[in-house]
Amino acid sequence: MSNEEPNYIVAIGASAGGLEEINTFFERTPHDGISYIIVQHLSSDFKSAMVELLSKHSSLLVKEAKEGMEVYKNVVYLIPNDKFMGIKNNKLQLTDKDKIKGPHLTINTFFNALAIDNGKKAIGIVLSGLGSDGSEGIRAIKEAGGMTIARNPQNTEFSSMPEQAIATDMIDYILEPQFMPDVIAAYVKSNDEVSENTKADKSNITEIIDYIHQNLPFDFSDYKDTTILRRTKRRAAALNIYDLKDYLLFLKENPDELKALAKDYLISVTSFFRDTEAFDLIEKTILPRILENLNPRDEIKLWVAGCATGEEAYSIAILLNELLVGRFKDTVVKIFATDIDSAALLYAGKGAYSADRINGISAKRLSEYFNFDGKNYIVKPEIRKMLIFAQHDLVKNPPYCNMHFISCRNLLIYMTPILQKKIYAMLLFGLKTNGFLFLGSSENPLTIIDNLEVVNKKWRIYKSLKDKRTVNFDTFALPELSTYRQTTAIKDDPSKNMNTTFTETVNSLIANYIGYLAICVDIENTVIKSYGNTSKYLLPQNFNTNLPELLPRSLAVAYNTLSKQVLKTEQFASAKGIMFKLNDIVMEVNLSVGPVNIDGGKQKGLIVIFNDDKTTSSDKDKYPLFNEVEYNNKYTEALEEELVEVKSQLQDAHDKLSASNENMQSFNEELISANEEMQSTNEEMQSVNEELHTINADYQLKNKELAEINDDLNNYFRSNINGQIFIDSNLRLMKYSPGAVKHINLVNTDIGRPIHHISTNIKFDTIVEDTKAVIEKSTMITREIEANNGKWYQVMIMPYLQAGNKIKGAIITFNDISELKNTQSELHSKNEILLRMNKELEDIKKTATNDIAIPLTDIENRIKKLKDLKSSDVDVAELLSIIDSSVQTLRGLATDLARKVAIKHDSGLN
């Protein structure tokens, strides 16, 4: 297995009594293709029955580990009670406990070995238990690139082990055992998807984060690498880009994608009354306690950090509004809802939510606190005025202070432990005494837990204890102050930091001077260590570690001179035949002083060696005897030189102090000036605040007017059954009335689409050209158009005018003229009938004038001829007269008939 890719191995560290939580972990089928190893604290005399007991709860094969056993996937291995266990090349290595002295930290031992053998495929879990076993191993696994999980210490009786592991700042997740398998599965899947060029990915991700920081007001450098990498690759893959280097080039050429990527990093997941039980607790317990403790005329201040699109902030406002009755009805409420995402804040500020986003709101609250405009549910003004939406970066900006309640949910889990620690401190700083902190279910404020009282473990609600609060200087101090604090810290006692290297050095020197007294001092002559009998050469003085003061007069003189010489030359120096009297005994001593490094070479010191003078007379001639007067003179000269140097240093220090004093005086004047400016600014801010209140009142009034106008427009649109369409200057749909849907196939998602992309139900091929002409020429076009269903409409296209008669687009209005068209058709039919009747009358006229008039004329002519014969017959003359009268009567009837036909013909034509 040494040349193959290692398995994913999950190592579970637990106490001997951890059966229940281990069973809970294995009750859900763990991820396929993983090996599991359980490392427990077990006494060598305790025979565990874990194999038999766990086999009943796990679908995996459970074995007790043996020496050299190869680790396979989907198998659970348990450590024997009398063994230490390691792993190398995917094989288990066992060692007897009785061969190793000291504490038996079995979890650390295996975790350390697993980190070396498996690297990023090592997964370490610390369950409940006493002590700190596992914390060192957790660090090793994390540094090797693996994943680490700890059980929530608040939910276990034995919390020491998970607390110590979490304190390393190396834990990725704090979870209950039943939730751990899903997280492991996600980690394995994520790791398997990561390509072989992980180092290149990390480098490219760093460049992408830096590029975002340079061009946008976001800094994601302290977000968890896995989250950033996963979301970046997902967006790149959607564009068919699989190399992050190419994606970085794409980002540089496409600013919109850069903004979209940054928005994707800002994981805006929220909903109304998310976690109903938690909000019930807040409604019935937390908010009433805040109100009860409120002083008269005090306002309630709440902060929702990372509010995203505002659902949670509005939820809290609704709960508070329901409680503001009786003596609390006039209480002023300010809810500061903040987020780094300006787009999300803009959405939240409008307070308009579609039907799919109001899940979790009861029907009663929906009707009481929201207005419906036919499309969205809009938060009513009495709730909206309680909230102040503002852009705020938790990483860079200072916290909002004196808050009664702070909510920061499911935000910190995406950040590194170091950044979490800082933000927890800021949230604590922002709370009032007895204020409440509301966190997400996966977040745990262990770094500030000493300053909090747990109100509810399950829903992570805490109360601030100001009397227990400690100041965290590192979180808020300026860098200059931090440096000053470090440089002025109390000097460590070197004797506490002696290491084995120094001890070996001293021992080696003592070996060269067996039987001698050796004393080690620092450059200030403080005794650090001594080897040998000190009472033989040193004065008996309690509570004194200054070597010259412990030496007799002559030895002190010799030491002072030699030490000065050694510090200059860094070479050994000696004096022989030094006479002194101690305890009524006169002795002659040799003294040697040499340089030595202490505290691992960080400090310089001296080693002083005393021994009785055993030199012969010939040696004494060779090495001159100690002359106290001469050494006194040398020491005096050294003191004088040192005095001159000290005077010079003192003068320099005085000059620097004077300059510093002048600077401080200047700084003080600047501070006074700044304070005056701050006072002036404060007054201006007060004035601005009053103006803002006035402006806010004006805005509220205008909002009310706009709401009324909006209602009027909505009602107008509903009442307009014929339909209207509003088109912008680019021929894109801006708005439409419900009646327009029967003419053009429109849905809400068509807003913004070009009109020629949308199908119609009317026979109007020139609609696009006509609309362009109206916009360009500021004219009006009217056409009669037939619909597919046979109805007729008058389509009127006119310009859409803004203030100043500026043309923004066009309005297309549809008027139903089907009834008018039908009436026209009927009139046309009747007209044709009349025309036919007129023709027939014309024929009658012709008959009257021609067919009757001609024969009558012929009869008249014949009667005239008969009269001209002048017959004497009276009867014949009478008969002709009668015939002539009848003919004239018939002609009058024919003429009258022709006249009437002509009149009817003319009236029919008209």
Side-chain angles (χ1 to χ4, degrees):
M1 292 292 293
S2 59
N3 295 324
E4 297 179 10
E5 185 73 13
N7 300 335
Y8 281 98
I9 295 180
V10 176
I12 303 173
S15 64
L19 174 62
E20 183 179 349
E21 53 191 357
I22 292 173
N23 285 342
T24 302
F25 178 90
F26 282 101
E27 276 176 356
R28 295 185 61 192
T29 304
H31 189 269
D32 186 41
I34 297 179
S35 308
Y36 297 88
I37 297 175
I38 300 175
V39 187
Q40 287 181 283
H41 288 300
L42 297 173
S43 170
S44 301
D45 302 326
F46 178 78
K47 180 63 178 173
S48 173
M50 178 67 79
V51 174
E52 295 79 9
L53 296 172
L54 182 57
S55 297
K56 298 177 182 178
H57 291 80
S58 175
S59 60
L60 304 179
L61 178 63
V62 182
K63 293 182 179 181
E64 185 174 78
K66 293 184 181 210
E67 171 63 27
M69 183 180 280
E70 190 165 352
V71 177
Y72 290 101
K73 298 176 181 178
N74 303 324
V75 180
V76 182
Y77 300 88
L78 284 92
I79 187 173
N81 59 299
D82 58 347
K83 304 289 184 183
F84 280 101
M85 187 162 65
I87 186 171
K88 187 174 183 181
N89 297 330
N90 205 50
K91 292 182 178 180
L92 299 176
Q93 297 178 330
L94 303 180
T95 308
D96 292 336
K97 284 184 178 179
D98 55 10
K99 292 183 179 180
I100 299 179
K101 296 180 180 180
H104 293 162
L105 303 178
T106 51
I107 301 175
N108 278 337
T109 301
F110 185 77
F111 279 13
N112 288 333
L114 181 65
I116 295 172
D117 204 51
N118 275 55
K120 69 178 182 180
K121 291 195 172 184
I123 301 170
I125 299 175
V126 175
L127 299 179
S128 62
L130 298 174
S132 61
D133 195 9
S135 57
E136 178 188 334
I138 283 292
R139 187 184 297 276
I141 290 175
K142 194 62 194 167
E143 289 176 350
M147 185 176 75
T148 56
I149 307 174
R151 183 180 182 182
N152 190 342
Q154 295 184 11
N155 296 335
T156 177
E157 183 178 357
F158 305 106
S159 60
S160 178
M161 274 175 47
E163 282 179 349
Q164 292 294 328
I166 293 169
T168 63
D169 281 340
M170 294 290 179
I171 291 294
D172 294 316
Y173 298 95
I174 301 170
L175 301 168
E176 289 303 291
Q178 64 267 30
F179 302 123
M180 294 178 184
D182 289 342
V183 172
I184 293 170
Y187 174 76
V188 171
K189 182 180 179 182
S190 175
N191 260 12
D192 289 342
E193 291 174 352
V194 175
S195 61
E196 291 298 323
N197 57 347
T198 304
K199 291 183 179 178
D201 283 348
K202 288 184 178 179
S203 175
N204 290 324
I205 280 292
T206 301
E207 290 189 46
I208 289 172
I209 291 173
D210 289 343
Y211 188 68
I212 291 175
H213 187 42
Q214 292 169 9
N215 293 274
L216 299 173
F218 303 124
D219 183 2
F220 298 105
S221 57
D222 286 318
Y223 278 55
K224 288 183 178 176
D225 293 341
T226 52
T227 302
I228 295 295
L229 181 62
R230 183 173 63 253
R231 290 183 168 268
T232 305
K233 286 200 163 188
R234 185 181 66 188
R235 286 204 65 87
L239 298 168
N240 293 321
I241 301 174
Y242 299 96
D243 189 332
L244 292 185
K245 188 173 183 180
D246 295 337
Y247 185 56
L248 176 59
L249 295 175
F250 183 81
L251 290 175
K252 292 180 178 180
E253 296 173 357
N254 297 272
D256 290 341
E257 175 62 17
L258 185 70
K259 294 177 182 177
L261 176 63
K263 184 172 179 60
D264 202 30
Y265 288 166
L266 300 171
I267 306 166
S268 296
V269 179
T270 185
S271 62
F272 285 100
F273 299 99
R274 188 179 185 182
D275 298 326
T276 307
E277 289 183 31
F279 274 92
D280 286 344
L281 181 66
I282 291 171
E283 177 186 8
K284 297 173 182 177
T285 305
I286 305 303
L287 295 180
R289 287 169 65 177
I290 293 174
L291 288 170
E292 289 297 330
N293 294 327
L294 204 64
N295 294 322
R297 298 185 180 179
D298 276 1
E299 60 185 16
I300 299 179
K301 292 183 178 180
L302 302 93
W303 178 19
V304 181
C307 68
T309 48
E311 284 92 332
E312 182 172 314
Y314 284 119
S315 300
I316 295 172
I318 289 171
L319 295 182
L320 256 177
N321 188 74
E322 293 175 345
L323 295 171
L324 296 180
V325 294
R327 64 189 179 96
F328 302 119
K329 66 178 182 179
D330 295 325
T331 303
V332 177
V333 177
K334 289 184 179 178
I335 301 176
F336 299 91
T338 66
D339 201 279
I340 195 174
D341 187 354
S342 58
L345 288 172
L346 184 62
Y347 185 98
K350 293 178 180 178
Y353 298 94
S354 57
D356 61 332
R357 301 191 67 165
I358 50 97
N359 295 330
I361 305 178
S362 66
K364 181 177 180 297
R365 282 176 173 160
L366 194 60
S367 62
E368 189 171 351
Y369 298 109
F370 292 83
N371 293 318
F372 185 61
D373 65 352
K375 181 179 178 182
N376 294 318
Y377 290 90
I378 302 173
V379 178
K380 287 189 175 180
E382 61 263 31
I383 299 299
R384 176 61 183 86
K385 70 180 182 181
M386 298 167 68
L387 289 96
I388 300 169
F389 289 98
Q391 191 168 11
H392 182 274
D393 189 343
L394 272 174
V395 179
K396 297 179 179 177
N397 301 135
Y400 288 80
C401 297
N402 294 320
M403 295 291 124
H404 294 91
F405 181 94
I406 296 178
S407 173
C408 182
R409 305 180 69 207
N410 305 312
L411 172 64
L412 302 181
I413 56 176
Y414 303 109
M415 300 178 181
T416 59
I418 294 174
L419 190 56
Q420 288 181 9
K421 182 178 179 181
K422 177 180 178 181
I423 293 176
Y424 277 133
M426 291 176 63
L427 295 177
L428 178 66
F429 188 80
L431 282 173
K432 290 174 69 75
T433 305
N434 298 322
F436 292 90
L437 177 63
F438 182 27
L439 300 175
S441 57
S442 299
E443 292 160 336
N444 205 317
L446 287 178
T447 55
I448 59 171
I449 197 66
D450 291 340
N451 299 294
L452 300 173
E453 174 188 320
V454 179
V455 177
N456 187 281
K457 283 185 179 181
K458 180 179 180 182
W459 299 115
R460 301 289 195 274
I461 301 177
Y462 305 88
K463 186 174 79 170
S464 172
L465 302 175
K466 192 157 187 178
D467 55 337
K468 288 188 177 181
R469 185 175 302 180
T470 56
V471 177
N472 189 339
F473 188 80
D474 293 332
T475 304
F476 302 103
L478 296 173
E480 293 81 4
L481 297 177
S482 300
T483 305
Y484 175 79
R485 182 184 60 166
Q486 293 170 2
T487 56
T488 58
I490 298 173
K491 184 176 66 177
D492 292 337
D493 183 357
S495 64
K496 296 180 181 179
N497 300 314
M498 298 293 289
N499 55 30
T500 55
T501 304
F502 172 70
T503 304
E504 290 172 1
T505 303
V506 173
N507 287 337
S508 176
L509 292 169
I510 292 175
N512 294 328
Y513 295 92
I514 296 174
Y516 300 174
L517 170 64
I519 296 176
C520 179
V521 299
D522 61 16
I523 58 174
E524 295 178 356
N525 293 322
T526 301
V527 176
I528 298 173
K529 204 80 173 176
S530 65
Y531 299 89
N533 184 8
T534 58
S535 62
K536 185 176 181 181
Y537 303 101
L538 304 185
L539 299 173
Q541 295 184 18
N542 293 330
F543 309 110
N544 192 346
T545 57
N546 186 268
L547 182 58
E549 295 177 5
L550 295 172
L551 295 175
R553 169 67 184 173
S554 54
L555 279 176
V557 170
Y559 169 74
N560 285 331
T561 302
L562 293 175
S563 63
K564 298 290 183 186
Q565 180 181 342
V566 170
L567 289 174
K568 286 183 179 180
T569 63
E570 295 189 353
Q571 301 292 327
F572 263 93
S574 301
K576 298 183 180 297
I578 304 171
M579 301 292 296
F580 71 94
K581 183 178 180 181
L582 184 62
N583 298 328
D584 298 327
I585 300 174
V586 178
M587 289 185 287
E588 191 172 0
V589 177
N590 295 335
L591 178 64
S592 297
V593 181
V596 67
N597 291 327
I598 59 177
D599 193 16
K602 296 179 181 178
Q603 297 185 42
K604 291 182 178 181
L606 298 172
I607 184 165
V608 186
I609 302 171
F610 303 84
N611 70 296
D612 295 340
D613 190 359
K614 299 178 181 178
T615 54
T616 61
S617 58
S618 59
D619 291 332
K620 289 180 180 179
D621 295 336
K622 194 173 184 180
Y623 299 100
L625 295 175
F626 171 75
N627 187 326
E628 186 173 347
V629 175
E630 182 182 348
Y631 271 77
N632 267 330
N633 291 336
K634 289 182 180 179
Y635 182 60
T636 302
E637 291 174 1
L639 287 177
E640 289 176 350
E641 292 176 359
E642 186 175 344
L643 180 60
V644 171
E645 184 179 353
V646 168
K647 284 183 177 180
S648 176
Q649 292 175 350
L650 183 62
Q651 184 61 42
D652 291 341
H654 183 267
D655 294 341
K656 290 179 181 178
L657 185 61
S658 298
S660 177
N661 189 43
E662 292 177 2
N663 289 336
M664 288 299 292
Q665 184 67 28
S666 176
F667 292 155
N668 188 46
E669 293 173 357
E670 291 178 5
L671 284 172
I672 293 172
S673 175
N675 185 49
E676 293 173 352
E677 291 177 6
M678 287 294 290
Q679 291 291 340
S680 174
T681 303
N682 186 45
E683 294 174 0
E684 292 175 6
M685 288 294 291
Q686 184 64 32
S687 174
V688 170
N689 189 41
E690 293 172 359
E691 292 176 8
L692 285 174
H693 276 292
T694 303
I695 293 171
N696 186 49
D698 291 340
Y699 276 138
Q700 292 290 344
L701 181 60
K702 290 189 180 298
N703 282 338
K704 183 180 178 182
E705 293 174 356
L706 285 173
E708 292 174 352
I709 293 171
N710 194 45
D711 291 339
D712 293 341
L713 286 174
N714 288 332
N715 283 291
Y716 165 74
F717 273 122
R718 283 194 307 105
S719 64
N720 185 357
I721 60 175
N722 289 323
Q724 282 185 321
I725 299 174
F726 294 80
I727 309 297
D728 67 12
S729 56
N730 294 317
L731 301 185
R732 291 178 301 196
L733 180 65
M734 293 192 299
K735 198 171 185 180
Y736 63 91
S737 67
V741 175
K742 57 188 176 185
H743 310 304
I744 298 180
N745 301 317
L746 296 172
V747 292
N748 289 340
T749 55
D750 289 330
I751 300 296
R753 288 182 59 190
I755 189 67
H756 58 272
H757 286 184
I758 304 171
S759 63
T760 68
N761 299 319
I762 55 176
K763 301 172 184 178
F764 192 1
D765 297 332
T766 62
I767 186 171
V768 175
E769 289 75 11
D770 288 349
T771 306
K772 286 182 179 178
V774 167
I775 295 172
E776 292 173 357
K777 300 178 182 178
S778 186
T779 184
M780 185 175 71
I781 295 177
T782 302
R783 297 188 186 278
E784 293 181 357
I785 304 297
E786 184 181 8
N788 294 338
N789 59 4
K791 288 191 174 185
W792 284 83
Y793 294 91
Q794 181 191 57
V795 181
M796 182 182 298
I797 307 176
M798 62 180 63
Y800 183 102
L801 300 177
Q802 284 183 319
N805 291 328
K806 182 179 179 181
I807 298 177
K808 184 183 178 182
I811 306 172
I812 303 175
T813 304
F814 298 88
N815 294 310
D816 191 344
I817 59 171
S818 299
E819 187 175 349
L820 177 62
K821 276 287 184 182
N822 292 334
T823 302
Q824 288 179 344
S825 178
E826 291 177 4
L827 288 173
H828 180 71
S829 298
K830 291 179 178 180
N831 190 47
E832 288 181 347
I833 293 171
L834 287 173
L835 288 174
R836 285 197 302 270
M837 292 176 63
N838 286 337
K839 185 178 179 182
E840 292 175 357
L841 289 172
E842 183 68 25
D843 292 340
I844 293 173
K845 177 183 176 183
K846 287 181 180 179
T847 301
T849 54
N850 294 324
D851 294 349
I852 297 176
I854 292 174
L856 285 175
T857 302
D858 184 60
I859 292 172
E860 287 177 342
N861 292 333
R862 288 182 183 276
I863 290 172
K864 185 178 180 183
K865 287 180 178 182
L866 288 173
K867 286 180 175 183
D868 292 339
L869 293 177
K870 297 181 178 182
S871 174
S872 60
D873 190 343
V874 176
D875 294 331
V876 170
E878 186 180 351
L879 179 62
L880 287 173
S881 176
I882 294 168
I883 293 172
D884 184 54
S885 177
S886 299
V887 168
Q888 293 301 320
T889 301
L890 183 61
R891 179 176 291 279
L893 290 173
T895 303
D896 187 56
L897 177 63
R899 183 179 59 79
K900 289 182 178 180
V901 168
I903 291 171
K904 287 187 176 182
H905 176 73
D906 294 339
S907 64
L909 290 176
N910 295 330

mmCIF file of all heavy atoms in Angstrom, residues 50-67:
data_model
loop_
_atom_site.group_PDB
_atom_site.id
_atom_site.type_symbol
_atom_site.label_atom_id
_atom_site.label_comp_id
_atom_site.label_asym_id
_atom_site.label_seq_id
_atom_site.Cartn_x
_atom_site.Cartn_y
_atom_site.Cartn_z
ATOM 1 N N MET A 50 -16.435 -3.744 23.451
ATOM 2 C CA MET A 50 -16.897 -2.815 22.430
ATOM 3 C C MET A 50 -17.157 -3.513 21.090
ATOM 4 O O MET A 50 -18.097 -3.170 20.379
ATOM 5 C CB MET A 50 -15.876 -1.691 22.243
ATOM 6 C CG MET A 50 -16.240 -0.688 21.166
ATOM 7 S SD MET A 50 -17.699 0.304 21.553
ATOM 8 C CE MET A 50 -16.980 1.485 22.671
ATOM 9 N N VAL A 51 -16.358 -4.529 20.743
ATOM 10 C CA VAL A 51 -16.531 -5.216 19.460
ATOM 11 C C VAL A 51 -17.929 -5.819 19.375
ATOM 12 O O VAL A 51 -18.663 -5.619 18.392
ATOM 13 C CB VAL A 51 -15.459 -6.312 19.282
ATOM 14 C CG1 VAL A 51 -15.740 -7.111 18.008
ATOM 15 C CG2 VAL A 51 -14.078 -5.690 19.203
ATOM 16 N N GLU A 52 -18.320 -6.560 20.418
ATOM 17 C CA GLU A 52 -19.642 -7.195 20.414
ATOM 18 C C GLU A 52 -20.767 -6.154 20.470
ATOM 19 O O GLU A 52 -21.778 -6.257 19.755
ATOM 20 C CB GLU A 52 -19.773 -8.158 21.591
ATOM 21 C CG GLU A 52 -18.832 -9.356 21.532
ATOM 22 C CD GLU A 52 -17.413 -9.021 21.970
ATOM 23 O OE1 GLU A 52 -17.206 -7.891 22.483
ATOM 24 O OE2 GLU A 52 -16.508 -9.848 21.777
ATOM 25 N N LEU A 53 -20.597 -5.129 21.317
ATOM 26 C CA LEU A 53 -21.653 -4.142 21.497
ATOM 27 C C LEU A 53 -21.850 -3.270 20.259
ATOM 28 O O LEU A 53 -22.975 -2.990 19.857
ATOM 29 C CB LEU A 53 -21.342 -3.262 22.712
ATOM 30 C CG LEU A 53 -21.300 -3.978 24.063
ATOM 31 C CD1 LEU A 53 -20.798 -3.046 25.141
ATOM 32 C CD2 LEU A 53 -22.678 -4.515 24.426
ATOM 33 N N LEU A 54 -20.747 -2.855 19.633
ATOM 34 C CA LEU A 54 -20.850 -1.984 18.465
ATOM 35 C C LEU A 54 -21.365 -2.739 17.249
ATOM 36 O O LEU A 54 -22.043 -2.165 16.390
ATOM 37 C CB LEU A 54 -19.487 -1.346 18.162
ATOM 38 C CG LEU A 54 -19.435 -0.355 16.995
ATOM 39 C CD1 LEU A 54 -20.429 0.774 17.201
ATOM 40 C CD2 LEU A 54 -18.029 0.203 16.829
ATOM 41 N N SER A 55 -21.070 -4.038 17.156
ATOM 42 C CA SER A 55 -21.536 -4.833 16.018
ATOM 43 C C SER A 55 -23.051 -4.819 15.909
ATOM 44 O O SER A 55 -23.611 -4.967 14.818
ATOM 45 C CB SER A 55 -21.030 -6.274 16.148
ATOM 46 O OG SER A 55 -19.623 -6.311 16.107
ATOM 47 N N LYS A 56 -23.742 -4.617 17.041
ATOM 48 C CA LYS A 56 -25.199 -4.599 17.041
ATOM 49 C C LYS A 56 -25.756 -3.297 16.465
ATOM 50 O O LYS A 56 -26.920 -3.241 16.067
ATOM 51 C CB LYS A 56 -25.722 -4.787 18.465
ATOM 52 C CG LYS A 56 -25.327 -6.127 19.081
ATOM 53 C CD LYS A 56 -25.810 -6.212 20.524
ATOM 54 C CE LYS A 56 -25.388 -7.531 21.170
ATOM 55 N NZ LYS A 56 -25.822 -7.614 22.591
ATOM 56 N N HIS A 57 -24.943 -2.246 16.442
ATOM 57 C CA HIS A 57 -25.425 -0.939 16.001
ATOM 58 C C HIS A 57 -24.872 -0.521 14.644
ATOM 59 O O HIS A 57 -25.307 0.486 14.082
ATOM 60 C CB HIS A 57 -25.037 0.142 17.023
ATOM 61 C CG HIS A 57 -25.764 0.030 18.324
ATOM 62 N ND1 HIS A 57 -25.377 -0.868 19.299
ATOM 63 C CD2 HIS A 57 -26.852 0.689 18.801
ATOM 64 C CE1 HIS A 57 -26.193 -0.739 20.338
ATOM 65 N NE2 HIS A 57 -27.100 0.187 20.058
ATOM 66 N N SER A 58 -23.897 -1.238 14.124
ATOM 67 C CA SER A 58 -23.257 -0.823 12.879
ATOM 68 C C SER A 58 -23.421 -1.896 11.818
ATOM 69 O O SER A 58 -23.312 -3.097 12.102
ATOM 70 C CB SER A 58 -21.774 -0.534 13.109
ATOM 71 O OG SER A 58 -21.142 -0.241 11.884
ATOM 72 N N SER A 59 -23.662 -1.464 10.576
ATOM 73 C CA SER A 59 -23.745 -2.400 9.461
ATOM 74 C C SER A 59 -22.361 -2.778 8.949
ATOM 75 O O SER A 59 -22.225 -3.638 8.081
ATOM 76 C CB SER A 59 -24.560 -1.761 8.333
ATOM 77 O OG SER A 59 -23.942 -0.560 7.895
ATOM 78 N N LEU A 60 -21.312 -2.123 9.467
ATOM 79 C CA LEU A 60 -19.946 -2.400 9.046
ATOM 80 C C LEU A 60 -19.351 -3.539 9.866
ATOM 81 O O LEU A 60 -19.807 -3.843 10.979
ATOM 82 C CB LEU A 60 -19.080 -1.143 9.205
ATOM 83 C CG LEU A 60 -19.562 0.115 8.472
ATOM 84 C CD1 LEU A 60 -18.619 1.267 8.752
ATOM 85 C CD2 LEU A 60 -19.666 -0.120 6.977
ATOM 86 N N LEU A 61 -18.314 -4.170 9.315
ATOM 87 C CA LEU A 61 -17.593 -5.216 10.036
ATOM 88 C C LEU A 61 -16.752 -4.572 11.131
ATOM 89 O O LEU A 61 -16.050 -3.583 10.888
ATOM 90 C CB LEU A 61 -16.689 -5.979 9.053
ATOM 91 C CG LEU A 61 -15.829 -7.087 9.643
ATOM 92 C CD1 LEU A 61 -16.701 -8.200 10.235
ATOM 93 C CD2 LEU A 61 -14.891 -7.652 8.581
ATOM 94 N N VAL A 62 -16.823 -5.095 12.359
ATOM 95 C CA VAL A 62 -16.103 -4.535 13.505
ATOM 96 C C VAL A 62 -15.045 -5.538 13.952
ATOM 97 O O VAL A 62 -15.346 -6.710 14.185
ATOM 98 C CB VAL A 62 -17.068 -4.218 14.666
ATOM 99 C CG1 VAL A 62 -16.316 -3.585 15.831
ATOM 100 C CG2 VAL A 62 -18.186 -3.294 14.192
ATOM 101 N N LYS A 63 -13.786 -5.064 14.076
ATOM 102 C CA LYS A 63 -12.672 -5.942 14.460
ATOM 103 C C LYS A 63 -11.846 -5.289 15.553
ATOM 104 O O LYS A 63 -11.784 -4.058 15.649
ATOM 105 C CB LYS A 63 -11.742 -6.193 13.261
ATOM 106 C CG LYS A 63 -12.322 -7.005 12.125
ATOM 107 C CD LYS A 63 -11.247 -7.190 11.058
ATOM 108 C CE LYS A 63 -11.752 -8.030 9.891
ATOM 109 N NZ LYS A 63 -10.683 -8.233 8.872
ATOM 110 N N GLU A 64 -11.177 -6.109 16.361
ATOM 111 C CA GLU A 64 -10.160 -5.603 17.270
ATOM 112 C C GLU A 64 -8.832 -5.571 16.529
ATOM 113 O O GLU A 64 -8.480 -6.522 15.822
ATOM 114 C CB GLU A 64 -10.048 -6.488 18.508
ATOM 115 C CG GLU A 64 -9.073 -5.915 19.541
ATOM 116 C CD GLU A 64 -9.059 -6.709 20.830
ATOM 117 O OE1 GLU A 64 -8.422 -7.774 20.852
ATOM 118 O OE2 GLU A 64 -9.684 -6.257 21.803
ATOM 119 N N ALA A 65 -8.093 -4.489 16.663
ATOM 120 C CA ALA A 65 -6.855 -4.311 15.919
ATOM 121 C C ALA A 65 -5.784 -5.293 16.358
ATOM 122 O O ALA A 65 -5.687 -5.632 17.544
ATOM 123 C CB ALA A 65 -6.354 -2.879 16.090
ATOM 124 N N LYS A 66 -4.944 -5.721 15.406
ATOM 125 C CA LYS A 66 -3.811 -6.609 15.676
ATOM 126 C C LYS A 66 -2.574 -6.061 14.973
ATOM 127 O O LYS A 66 -2.680 -5.316 13.993
ATOM 128 C CB LYS A 66 -4.108 -8.027 15.200
ATOM 129 C CG LYS A 66 -5.203 -8.701 15.997
ATOM 130 C CD LYS A 66 -5.381 -10.129 15.559
ATOM 131 C CE LYS A 66 -6.437 -10.725 16.318
ATOM 132 N NZ LYS A 66 -7.055 -11.497 16.853
ATOM 133 N N GLU A 67 -1.422 -6.447 15.448
ATOM 134 C CA GLU A 67 -0.155 -5.977 14.890
ATOM 135 C C GLU A 67 -0.055 -6.349 13.411
ATOM 136 O O GLU A 67 -0.285 -7.491 13.019
ATOM 137 C CB GLU A 67 1.015 -6.588 15.665
ATOM 138 C CG GLU A 67 2.385 -6.337 15.050
ATOM 139 C CD GLU A 67 2.755 -4.859 15.012
ATOM 140 O OE1 GLU A 67 2.259 -4.094 15.858
ATOM 141 O OE2 GLU A 67 3.526 -4.470 14.127
#
